[in-house]
Amino acid sequence: NEGDMVCLFKVGEKRVNSDGNEEEVEVWVESQTVPSTDEGSISFSKCALSEGTHEFRYMMAGSDTPACISTSFVTVKPLATIGVPSQVVPCGDPFTVSYAIPLTRPHSPDDWIGIYKLTGYGPNGCVMRISVPDGNEGTIDIEHTPDFPGEYHAKYHLGAHSDAVVGTS
């Protein structure tokens, strides 16, 4: 029916209420409008990455009560591995970063690896942002290291999920 929705909820969250008591709450994550056909698929691949127990609820237009609820399922963040040079690299020299992220689908073209400064002089935080090429694993040749001496590390960000960090060198 027009206006029907499938909603994704995170369930079993514990929160402290105004009385100071812990209670279980449900958190809405995302909704998608049901196609006008009698069947089809709906993608939730762009929703916020939310670890925990979830369920889908079919909501008919104009109703606050679900018409049906899916079996609950658990989601976890994928864990990316990142490799960086183990030896000292002079400022301005090229270097290579390797990455692998175990996904059952291709990674998002919005994924990126950030090079972050830990110690030394110059700007702090993310000093270099590198787009991840196609494929769930590979290497990226970087033309030059940051211009300031110091200690750096790399982080893998899921661009389609609010830049969530899922791996650190």
Side-chain angles (χ1 to χ4, degrees), residues 98-110:
S98 63
Y99 66 92
I101 184 160
L103 298 173
T104 56
R105 57 171 173 73
H107 75 84
S108 167
D110 298 327

Side-chain angles (χ1 to χ4, degrees), residues 11 50-55 71-77:
V11 296
S50 177
E51 290 188 296
T53 303
H54 294 77
E55 64 189 23
T71 304
S72 62
F73 56 96
V74 177
T75 59
V76 296
K77 289 181 186 177

Side-chain angles (χ1 to χ4, degrees), residues 49-83:
L49 193 61
S50 177
E51 290 188 296
T53 303
H54 294 77
E55 64 189 23
F56 289 107
R57 298 178 186 174
Y58 190 102
M59 307 294 285
M60 297 181 76
S63 175
D64 291 335
T65 304
C68 64
I69 300 174
S70 74
T71 304
S72 62
F73 56 96
V74 177
T75 59
V76 296
K77 289 181 186 177
L79 181 60
T81 54
I82 301 175

